[in-house]
Amino acid sequence: MSLARFLDLADLSPEEIRDLLALADRLQQHPEPQALAGKILGLIFLNPSLRTLASMQAGMARLGGSSFVITPGHGTWALETRTGVAMDGAAAEHVREGLPVLASYCDVMGIRAFAEGHDLANDVADTHFKSMAALIKKPLINLESAINHPCQALADWKTLDDLHIAPRTKFVLSWVPHPRALPLAVPAATAHMAALRGHEVVVLRPDGFALPDAVIDRARAAARLSGGSITETDDRDSALKGAHVVYAKEWGSTRHYGDAEADASLRRSLTNWQLTEQTFAQATPHCKLMHCLPVRRNVAIAESLLDGPRSVVLQEAHNRLVVQMAILYRLLK
Amino acid sequence: MSLARFLDLADLSPEEIRDLLALADRLQQHPEPQALAGKILGLIFLNPSLRTLASMQAGMARLGGSSFVITPGHGTWALETRTGVAMDGAAAEHVREGLPVLASYCDVMGIRAFAEGHDLANDVADTHFKSMAALIKKPLINLESAINHPCQALADWKTLDDLHIAPRTKFVLSWVPHPRALPLAVPAATAHMAALRGHEVVVLRPDGFALPDAVIDRARAAARLSGGSITETDDRDSALKGAHVVYAKEWGSTRHYGDAEADASLRRSLTNWQLTEQTFAQATPHCKLMHCLPVRRNVAIAESLLDGPRSVVLQEAHNRLVVQMAILYRLLK
Amino acid sequence: MSLARFLDLADLSPEEIRDLLALADRLQQHPEPQALAGKILGLIFLNPSLRTLASMQAGMARLGGSSFVITPGHGTWALETRTGVAMDGAAAEHVREGLPVLASYCDVMGIRAFAEGHDLANDVADTHFKSMAALIKKPLINLESAINHPCQALADWKTLDDLHIAPRTKFVLSWVPHPRALPLAVPAATAHMAALRGHEVVVLRPDGFALPDAVIDRARAAARLSGGSITETDDRDSALKGAHVVYAKEWGSTRHYGDAEADASLRRSLTNWQLTEQTFAQATPHCKLMHCLPVRRNVAIAESLLDGPRSVVLQEAHNRLVVQMAILYRLLK
């Protein structure tokens, strides 16, 4: 099996995903420090990064390759992404030139481009990322787009495997507080991943934060493949009861998408959605706490939970490196 | 042949340029992924970069070497370049210490330092860059100075070769609009390169934007060597007629150099200098459109031209990587 | 001998330091370009850097390894370091997650975290850096903390060795002017290093800038080991007389620590503490001028001194690369 691009976990069959995870395990057990010697990874960060930047560069280096990083706005001018406009503003270069040029310097490219957060339909359709991806004729990795984060989803799948958490168990994707509206990429990717792994997925979120129909429909299609299920609720007690995994995540109000004021007003009343020892006590005794990081301590999740034995957030983050090495290997070998 | 520094295409004889381009071709056909193993490139960007940063890092890596990047003002303090001043302002370090120190960590260095844009004579003499270059006892590459951009010029020469565009054809360097005054480095380097390649060079620019005498004189000397020619005009019809290449470029008013207000007032009346299908129709049918990038779509050049079959801007940008690998090889082997 | 971490020169015995310096010499004479092949260095810069960034990346590359750089605030969000707070401010991630995650991607880590400059006792105890170091289970290098800069101290020791400057000679650590209060890391590390090397150390500083007792006590303990000595004075004539080395350094008022206004008012009257040819003339004829860089010309030190034959600031900076290669080698081999 070889991959042309890694843009969405849904592009892979369950067998292909398992094969990729097996490759990740193999590379962990039997490193291949020269596998990608001479190969170059180009990383384009239209938004900030810590884990993704470091793990992509480290992963490429551990396989013998090299990388360069372009961060528009930090040492590079801003890139225009709209089509048909007269470029008389701040952006000095259009992605239609910038991205193919950068792609011509490397063997594989990764792009991070968060949701614009104005138009829900556009963001759910991933219009922006897809238009950029269409410009690139090289192997490409989605490093988080408006509605997807497949590297995170694959790392989380591996973490669940590593922890021997059986499919068909209850996986609660729980909305948690944050000072402002965050994108839907991780909740959408997580719901899909957990459904595809066969979990009984419960999306727990306050009124006004329902995931978009298209996101739920995609997860439901994945659940049909795997024998899992997906439901949504705002009832915290029933959702957490019997949970084997609580995956905490912050996201913006979908009812007030793009309306920062209405979103803020709604979330002001929801600070008690912070995950605490008490709320977590309703889950199963060995329930794991997952989060993609970065996380705001004592806002989204209580410090004691994050520092406690049920938290697996560091394992998840480490698995970003492990699975991305497998992705790079599959794309380039 | 070996090179000590690559600061100006005019430092090389036509034979040396052809030899460098032949090396670029050879490395393209027969990669040498270990040629520069263990060698280190230090990149100093006093101004923003996209192509230059990525292509220099990628080129060094494709030859087996490594690089580091210093971007004063982004993770590094500002560098003072004036001599004799009491450094009680924002700049924490002087180039007289900073540059030799960085040079002592690497085997070859590249510096980007744009024109200051205040004093035309100073910028045309490249005073600032030359004073920095004098501090460095290692192989050095000019990554764009006030009045030169030899890597771009060499990449453009290769692009003309790749396209089999004969010398003695008409090469129009056409001024195009931009929201503000840009430096003279690329127009100066392009006029010189095209003249040295033997073209009938026409510099087409509005009144107030004539290239400095020193720039024209240099190009004329190159034309004498090669059998080419150079003229200047503000008559768009006669200039474009019969052109085999139109090289579009933005630059600031030389009449009002350093006077942003007078420059802006002049350029407000020149938006119709945008290159469009109509203006381009006056050239020969197979006329190529060149530009060093970044380019502002629908301000400098119409989108349809950039996306059309006559545009070779992506080839030019890719050739940056190709020729820079040859330059690095020559400087270090 | 192998090292687990390189956080403080005082953690090493004099024999271990000499062994490390011998390794640095050996690697200079007999490079080992594949010694650290496949190894990865993670660099975390909570504060700006030029020499440290470039020399760490270059040193790792010269030994065959790779590195990645994380600069919170430049392409990465700010990191929270306080414990127990509700993270509802600007910092999106806590070091308790960020640092272990980054450590899990690399084989050795370097952290730069300057003094906060508010609470002298906290900064002298290096509370902030020590709490971060405790989070990391990998080999770790202090790239300058609130009160220490062991890489600089080791490079300076090597510079003194290279120059054949005998122990038991007079080493003057001289306060020099700067527009604002700078941290105590370099003066503290320098006083300790010079005392441990056996010098007659004189700390020359104006009233109000005495080094903290804990710093002097540490240096005195080192002097006892080596047969050196340490004294403090504000008498420039007596201090400089007979000096074999003048190590110039800027630091903030310890009397007014954290009080920018009182510090500024005090230093306004001290601009004549600039090191000039005249003041330097009081030292021995071959007295060397040292400084860790960056240095403000004609504010801290007169330009003519810096450009003159007695200045060894460039050698010191180059030795950063040389000793750091030995440190990386010891930590990873």
Side-chain angles (χ1 to χ4, degrees):
Chain A
M1 171 208 151
S2 80
L3 272 180
R5 350 188 84 190
F6 186 76
L7 304 186
D8 183 350
L9 215 56
D11 295 340
L12 282 72
S13 69
E15 290 68 40
E16 286 173 321
I17 293 170
R18 271 179 224 113
D19 178 82
L20 206 46
L21 292 168
L23 174 61
D25 280 336
R26 196 191 90 201
L27 292 171
Q28 240 181 332
Q29 304 294 324
H30 307 286
E32 297 192 23
Q34 289 300 313
L36 303 187
K39 299 293 187 185
I40 293 169
L41 165 66
L43 294 166
I44 320 301
F45 285 97
L46 298 170
N47 304 97
S49 169
L50 179 135
R51 260 160 298 284
T52 301
L53 174 61
S55 60
M56 289 304 296
Q57 291 206 280
M60 196 65 187
R62 289 202 182 286
L63 292 166
S66 302
S67 52
F68 63 78
V69 180
I70 293 291
T71 313
H74 289 96
T76 303
W77 43 81
L79 292 179
E80 178 62 73
T81 55
R82 294 168 298 166
T83 52
V85 297
M87 289 175 56
D88 52 7
E93 179 150 21
H94 200 281
V95 290
R96 287 189 71 98
E97 276 84 32
L99 293 182
V101 164
L102 293 171
S104 85
Y105 298 154
C106 61
D107 301 294
V108 55
M109 192 175 231
I111 298 180
R112 163 164 287 192
F114 288 174
E116 289 165 342
H118 304 309
D119 178 328
L120 181 57
N122 250 343
D123 285 343
V124 167
D126 231 355
T127 316
H128 180 39
F129 185 85
K130 283 180 178 163
S131 70
M132 292 196 290
L135 298 171
I136 296 164
K137 308 306 176 201
K138 292 268 175 81
L140 179 65
I141 302 174
N142 179 344
L143 301 178
E144 188 173 341
S145 63
I147 203 65
N148 221 325
H149 199 348
C151 293
Q152 183 66 48
L154 192 64
D156 290 338
W157 186 313
K158 177 165 170 45
T159 305
L160 294 165
D161 285 358
D162 292 349
L163 295 165
H164 306 292
I165 293 174
R168 310 300 152 97
T169 54
K170 191 172 184 181
F171 182 107
V172 180
L173 170 61
S174 174
W175 185 92
V176 286
H178 190 275
R180 58 187 178 77
L182 291 193
L184 295 163
V186 170
T190 302
H192 174 266
M193 176 278 294
L196 192 61
R197 198 172 178 270
H199 288 280
E200 180 192 332
V201 181
V202 178
V203 181
L204 169 63
R205 80 293 178 276
D207 188 46
F209 292 83
L211 292 182
D213 287 346
V215 168
I216 295 294
D217 289 348
R218 246 168 72 97
R220 188 162 290 130
R224 266 195 300 272
L225 272 180
S226 67
S229 66
I230 181 156
T231 56
E232 275 198 289
T233 179
D234 63 1
D235 179 346
R236 305 178 76 197
D237 292 340
S238 73
L240 292 168
K241 194 172 171 188
H244 284 72
V245 175
V246 175
Y247 195 110
K249 185 68 192 91
E250 312 78 1
W251 67 87
S253 167
T254 43
R255 181 179 297 150
H256 301 299
Y257 201 80
D259 180 345
E261 211 170 302
D263 176 282
S265 141
L266 192 53
R267 66 177 59 237
R268 264 196 291 279
S269 63
L270 297 166
T271 54
N272 68 325
W273 276 68
Q274 181 183 139
L275 268 187
T276 63
E277 295 281 354
Q278 278 122 302
T279 50
F280 212 80
Q282 302 175 267
T284 60
H286 298 293
C287 179
K288 299 301 180 190
L289 169 65
M290 299 181 78
H291 190 284
C292 63
L293 302 181
V295 65
R296 286 170 176 263
R297 291 174 159 245
N298 300 322
V299 170
I301 305 177
E303 196 151 55
S304 62
L305 269 182
L306 279 166
D307 294 336
R310 288 170 298 187
S311 168
V312 298
V313 300
L314 298 184
Q315 288 99 305
E316 288 175 83
H318 180 64
N319 274 333
R320 290 288 305 279
L321 173 68
V322 179
V323 302
Q324 288 162 191
M325 287 173 65
I327 295 165
L328 289 165
Y329 191 100
R330 268 287 177 271
L331 288 171
L332 290 174
K333 290 286 279 191
Chain B
M1 171 208 152
S2 80
L3 273 181
R5 350 188 83 192
F6 185 77
L7 303 186
D8 183 349
L9 215 55
D11 295 340
L12 281 72
S13 70
E15 291 67 40
E16 285 173 321
I17 292 170
R18 269 178 226 114
D19 179 83
L20 207 45
L21 291 169
L23 173 61
D25 279 337
R26 196 191 89 200
L27 291 171
Q28 239 181 334
Q29 303 294 323
H30 307 285
E32 297 192 23
Q34 289 300 314
L36 303 186
K39 299 293 187 186
I40 293 169
L41 165 66
L43 294 167
I44 320 300
F45 285 98
L46 298 170
N47 303 97
S49 168
L50 179 134
R51 258 159 301 284
T52 302
L53 174 62
S55 60
M56 289 303 296
Q57 292 206 279
M60 196 66 187
R62 289 203 182 285
L63 292 166
S66 302
S67 53
F68 62 78
V69 180
I70 293 290
T71 312
H74 289 97
T76 304
W77 42 82
L79 291 178
E80 179 61 75
T81 56
R82 295 167 297 168
T83 53
V85 297
M87 290 174 56
D88 53 6
E93 180 150 21
H94 201 281
V95 290
R96 286 188 71 97
E97 276 84 32
L99 292 182
V101 165
L102 292 171
S104 85
Y105 298 154
C106 60
D107 302 293
V108 54
M109 194 175 230
I111 297 181
R112 163 163 287 194
F114 288 174
E116 289 165 341
H118 304 309
D119 179 327
L120 181 57
N122 250 343
D123 284 344
V124 168
D126 231 356
T127 317
H128 179 38
F129 186 84
K130 283 179 178 162
S131 70
M132 292 197 290
L135 298 170
I136 295 165
K137 308 304 174 201
K138 292 269 175 81
L140 180 65
I141 302 174
N142 179 344
L143 301 178
E144 188 175 339
S145 63
I147 203 64
N148 222 324
H149 198 348
C151 293
Q152 183 67 48
L154 191 65
D156 290 338
W157 186 313
K158 177 164 169 48
T159 304
L160 294 166
D161 285 357
D162 292 349
L163 295 166
H164 306 292
I165 293 175
R168 312 298 155 98
T169 54
K170 191 171 185 182
F171 182 108
V172 180
L173 170 59
S174 173
W175 186 92
V176 286
H178 190 275
R180 57 188 178 75
L182 290 194
L184 294 163
V186 170
T190 302
H192 175 265
M193 177 280 294
L196 192 61
R197 197 171 179 270
H199 289 279
E200 179 192 333
V201 181
V202 179
V203 180
L204 168 64
R205 79 293 176 279
D207 187 47
F209 292 83
L211 292 182
D213 287 346
V215 168
I216 295 294
D217 289 347
R218 245 169 73 96
R220 186 162 293 130
R224 266 195 299 271
L225 272 181
S226 66
S229 66
I230 180 155
T231 56
E232 275 198 289
T233 179
D234 62 1
D235 179 345
R236 305 178 77 197
D237 291 340
S238 72
L240 291 168
K241 193 171 171 188
H244 283 73
V245 175
V246 175
Y247 196 111
K249 185 67 193 92
E250 312 78 1
W251 67 85
S253 168
T254 43
R255 181 178 298 151
H256 301 299
Y257 201 80
D259 180 344
E261 212 171 303
D263 176 283
S265 142
L266 193 52
R267 66 177 60 237
R268 261 194 294 278
S269 64
L270 298 167
T271 53
N272 68 326
W273 277 68
Q274 182 184 137
L275 268 188
T276 62
E277 295 281 355
Q278 277 122 302
T279 51
F280 212 81
Q282 303 175 265
T284 60
H286 297 293
C287 179
K288 299 300 179 189
L289 168 65
M290 298 182 77
H291 189 283
C292 64
L293 304 182
V295 64
R296 288 171 175 261
R297 293 176 158 242
N298 300 323
V299 170
I301 305 178
E303 194 151 56
S304 62
L305 269 182
L306 280 165
D307 294 335
R310 289 170 297 188
S311 167
V312 298
V313 300
L314 298 185
Q315 287 98 305
E316 290 175 82
H318 180 64
N319 274 333
R320 292 288 304 279
L321 172 69
V322 178
V323 302
Q324 287 162 193
M325 287 173 65
I327 295 164
L328 289 165
Y329 191 99
R330 267 288 176 269
L331 288 171
L332 290 174
K333 288 288 278 192
Chain C
M1 170 208 154
S2 80
L3 273 180
R5 350 188 85 192
F6 187 76
L7 304 186
D8 183 350
L9 216 55
D11 295 340
L12 281 73
S13 69
E15 291 68 40
E16 286 173 321
I17 292 170
R18 271 179 224 113
D19 178 82
L20 206 46
L21 291 169
L23 173 61
D25 280 336
R26 196 190 89 200
L27 292 172
Q28 238 181 335
Q29 304 294 323
H30 306 287
E32 297 192 22
Q34 289 299 312
L36 303 187
K39 299 293 188 188
I40 293 169
L41 165 66
L43 293 166
I44 319 299
F45 285 97
L46 298 170
N47 304 97
S49 168
L50 179 134
R51 259 160 299 285
T52 301
L53 175 62
S55 60
M56 290 302 298
Q57 290 206 279
M60 196 65 187
R62 289 203 182 284
L63 292 166
S66 303
S67 52
F68 63 78
V69 180
I70 293 290
T71 312
H74 289 97
T76 304
W77 42 81
L79 291 178
E80 178 61 75
T81 56
R82 296 167 296 168
T83 52
V85 297
M87 290 174 55
D88 51 7
E93 180 149 22
H94 201 281
V95 290
R96 287 188 70 96
E97 277 84 32
L99 293 182
V101 164
L102 293 171
S104 84
Y105 298 154
C106 60
D107 301 293
V108 54
M109 194 176 230
I111 297 179
R112 162 162 288 193
F114 288 174
E116 288 164 343
H118 304 309
D119 178 329
L120 182 57
N122 250 344
D123 285 343
V124 169
D126 231 355
T127 316
H128 178 40
F129 185 84
K130 283 179 178 164
S131 71
M132 291 197 291
L135 298 171
I136 296 165
K137 308 305 173 200
K138 292 269 175 80
L140 180 66
I141 301 174
N142 180 343
L143 301 178
E144 188 174 338
S145 63
I147 203 65
N148 222 325
H149 197 349
C151 293
Q152 183 67 49
L154 191 64
D156 290 337
W157 187 312
K158 177 165 170 46
T159 304
L160 294 165
D161 284 359
D162 292 349
L163 295 165
H164 306 292
I165 294 175
R168 310 298 153 98
T169 54
K170 191 172 184 180
F171 181 108
V172 180
L173 170 60
S174 174
W175 185 92
V176 286
H178 191 275
R180 58 189 177 76
L182 290 193
L184 295 164
V186 170
T190 302
H192 174 265
M193 176 280 293
L196 192 62
R197 198 171 177 271
H199 288 280
E200 180 192 332
V201 181
V202 178
V203 181
L204 169 64
R205 79 293 175 278
D207 188 46
F209 292 82
L211 292 183
D213 288 346
V215 168
I216 295 294
D217 290 348
R218 245 169 73 96
R220 187 163 291 127
R224 267 196 301 271
L225 272 180
S226 66
S229 66
I230 180 155
T231 56
E232 275 198 286
T233 179
D234 61 1
D235 179 345
R236 305 178 75 196
D237 291 340
S238 73
L240 291 167
K241 195 173 171 186
H244 284 72
V245 175
V246 175
Y247 196 111
K249 185 67 192 93
E250 311 79 1
W251 68 86
S253 167
T254 43
R255 181 180 296 150
H256 301 299
Y257 201 81
D259 180 346
E261 212 171 303
D263 176 282
S265 143
L266 192 53
R267 67 177 59 237
R268 262 194 294 277
S269 63
L270 298 166
T271 54
N272 68 326
W273 277 66
Q274 181 183 138
L275 268 187
T276 63
E277 295 280 355
Q278 280 122 301
T279 50
F280 211 81
Q282 302 176 265
T284 61
H286 298 294
C287 179
K288 299 300 179 190
L289 169 65
M290 299 181 78
H291 190 283
C292 64
L293 304 181
V295 65
R296 287 170 175 264
R297 291 175 159 244
N298 300 322
V299 171
I301 305 177
E303 196 151 55
S304 62
L305 269 182
L306 279 166
D307 294 335
R310 288 170 298 187
S311 168
V312 298
V313 300
L314 298 184
Q315 288 98 305
E316 288 175 83
H318 180 64
N319 273 334
R320 290 288 304 279
L321 172 69
V322 179
V323 301
Q324 288 162 192
M325 287 173 65
I327 295 164
L328 288 165
Y329 191 99
R330 268 286 178 271
L331 288 171
L332 290 174
K333 289 286 281 190

